Structures are given as structure tokens and as C-alpha cells.
């Protein structure tokens, strides 16, 4: 039996845990990432933390500043607009490609995720915006996986990491949030109907809605 070395296990644990903390919004854009503090929080030594920071820098989630350490990446308005242009070109196409490949069980799982997002995201006493992040990521990830187009998926992955740092849903106003939740439900309807162009159109609107919210938030950060 092949055994995984402790160093590999520790490195992968640190990468996965730190990535999740950033994507979940525990460390906001621009936050300093101290190696000692992270090692204590993640329960690993400094070496896996250092390797995790290097890996996440390659993914675009972390910036390594010479003589100043690491921090969560910040994105200018212009950079975000460029990222969303790329997403608008890629993700609707992948969504359309996913439609004819979706089996009934795939549709049911997408439906479960969409309805769960409505449940936890709708305004009210039971609202849990933090719970939306992993659900949203799984929903979009399943569509990309169904599309089965590695080249487009790889290009999209580099575009998704940038704005996802801001995607903690606390920046959404109520109207934009309700619109986003409804888009997920409608995308499922389009997939169930076997209509790629409908799915493509809704995903395009979904991304443009997110773009409006996140670009506005970035502008407010630049001009408080």
C-alpha cells in the first residue's frame, strides 16, 4: 500500500483550508496573511503554510509582496471588469454545453442546490448568506463538469478566483440577491427543458448581475 508522506498531507491540508477561509470571506481582500498566525490556526507547521501561500498566489487568491509577506489579493475595478468579460464569454457557453449531457439525476441535484440557495439566501430571520458560498460554488462547478470541456473549464477557473474573493453575498442588495437566486432556479428549468440557448441566456444575465454588484463594491473600496 502506498502511503502519503506527512509533508504532502500537511501541505494539501493547508492549501485546502486556507483557500476555503479566503473564499468564505474570513480574510477580506487586502488582509495580511501571517505565516505564524496561519500555522496556529490551521494546526500545521510554517513550511506547509508557506507552500500553501505560494500555491494560492499561483491561483490568484494571494499576493506575495517582497519583504512584506502575503496578503489576500485585491482587484481594481478595471481588473474585475476584465475578469467578468472573460466569464461572460466562457461560462454561458459551458452552461449551454452542459444541457444535452445532463442526466435526470444531474437535473435533480442542480434543482436541490438551487432550491437550497433560495432557502438560505432569501431575506428573513433564517437567512444565512455565508452558507450560500459553498452551495453557489457547487452549483456552478457541476455545470462546468457536465460540459466536459477541459480547455474552456481551465480558462474559466483562472477567471473565477479573482471576483470570488468578493463573493460573500453580504455586498448584494436585496433586489440583486433575489435576482441571483432566481437565476439559479431558471437555469435548472432550462436544463430540464433541454434548451441550451435558454440556459446560456440566463447564465449571461446571472454573470452580468454579479458583475454590477462586485464592480460597485470595488468602486466603493477605491473611493470610500
Amino acid at each position: 500500500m502506498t502511503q502519503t508522506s506527512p509533508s504532502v498531507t500537511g501541505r494539501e491540508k493547508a492549501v485546502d483550508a486556507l483557500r476555503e477561509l479566503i473564499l468564505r470571506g474570513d480574510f477580506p481582500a487586502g488582509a495580511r496573511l501571517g505565516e505564524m498566525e496561519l500555522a496556529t490556526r490551521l494546526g500545521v507547521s510554517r513550511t506547509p503554510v508557506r507552500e500553501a501561500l505560494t500555491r494560492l498566489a499561483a491561483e490568484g487568491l494571494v499576493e506575495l509582496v517582497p519583504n512584506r509577506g502575503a496578503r489576500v489579493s485585491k482587484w481594481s475595478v478595471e481588473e474585475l471588469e476584465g475578469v467578468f468579460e472573460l466569464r461572460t464569454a466562457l461560462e454561458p457557453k459551458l452552461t449551454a454545453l452542459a444541457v444535452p449531457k445532463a442526466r435526470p439525476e444531474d437535473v435533480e441535484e442542480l434543482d436541490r442546490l438551487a432550491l437550497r440557495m433560495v432557502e438560505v439566501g432569501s431575506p428573513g430571520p433564517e437567512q444565512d448568506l455565508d452558507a450560500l458560498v459553498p452551495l453557489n460554488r457547487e452549483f456552478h462547478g457541476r455545470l462546468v463538469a457536465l460540459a466536459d470541456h477541459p480547455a474552456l473549464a481551465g480558462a474559466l477557473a483562472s477567471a473565477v478566483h479573482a471576483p470570488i474573493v468578493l463573493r460573500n453575498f453580504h455586498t448584494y442588495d436585496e433586489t440583486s440577491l433575489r435576482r441571483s437566486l432566481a437565476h439559479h432556479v431558471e437555469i435548472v428549468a432550462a436544463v430540464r427543458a433541454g434548451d441550451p440557448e435558454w440556459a446560456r441566456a440566463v447564465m449571461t444575465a446571472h454573470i452580468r448581475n454579479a458583475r454590477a454588484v462586485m464592480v460597485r463594491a470595488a468602486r466603493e473600496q477605491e473611493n470610500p
Side-chain angles (χ1 to χ4, degrees):
M1 179 183 294
T2 302
Q3 293 185 340
T4 302
S5 71
S7 62
V8 172
T9 301
R11 180 173 67 245
E12 295 304 321
K13 174 185 175 182
V15 169
D16 292 343
L18 182 53
R19 183 190 292 113
E20 186 60 30
L21 287 170
I22 293 172
L23 297 182
R24 200 172 65 195
D26 285 35
F27 297 112
R32 180 182 174 278
L33 298 169
E35 290 181 7
M36 281 297 296
E37 295 88 342
L38 289 173
T40 300
R41 180 164 182 170
L42 301 180
V44 298
S45 68
R46 291 182 66 177
T47 297
V49 168
R50 192 175 300 118
E51 293 170 341
L53 291 171
T54 300
R55 174 92 68 86
L56 296 179
E59 294 181 8
L61 288 176
V62 170
E63 294 178 4
L64 300 178
V65 184
N67 304 316
R68 298 185 63 182
R71 66 181 184 183
V72 179
S73 296
K74 294 181 71 172
W75 299 84
S76 69
V77 171
E78 292 75 16
E79 288 169 329
L80 280 175
E81 287 178 335
V83 164
F84 275 104
E85 284 182 14
L86 185 56
R87 282 194 66 192
T88 302
L90 295 173
E91 197 162 1
K93 182 174 180 61
L94 283 163
T95 302
L97 290 172
V99 172
K101 298 175 182 178
R103 301 163 299 176
E105 55 266 36
D106 296 319
V107 178
E108 292 311 309
E109 181 59 19
L110 287 168
D111 190 46
R112 181 192 70 81
L113 290 167
L115 294 179
R116 179 60 179 157
M117 281 188 277
V118 171
E119 183 179 348
V120 302
S122 296
E126 303 300 318
Q127 186 182 56
D128 184 356
L129 294 177
D130 293 333
L132 276 177
V133 176
L135 291 167
N136 184 71
R137 196 156 69 242
E138 184 176 357
F139 183 90
H140 287 261
R142 282 182 174 272
L143 288 170
V144 171
L146 282 170
D148 193 24
H149 196 303
L152 289 180
L156 178 64
S158 65
V160 169
H161 276 152
I164 206 171
V165 175
L166 299 176
R167 192 193 298 162
N168 59 17
F169 292 99
H170 291 278
T171 55
Y172 276 63
D173 59 87
E174 182 175 328
T175 300
S176 297
L177 180 58
R178 288 187 184 278
R179 186 182 299 120
S180 179
L181 297 173
H183 285 154
H184 292 128
V185 175
E186 189 174 356
I187 287 168
V188 176
V191 176
R192 182 177 281 116
D195 190 331
E197 291 310 311
W198 181 12
R200 184 199 300 265
V202 181
M203 183 59 79
T204 300
H206 185 63
I207 295 169
R208 290 188 180 280
N209 182 57
R211 175 190 178 279
V213 171
M214 293 178 201
V215 168
R216 182 184 68 234
R219 285 200 178 104
E220 290 173 352
Q221 287 182 357
E222 286 188 355
N223 302 289

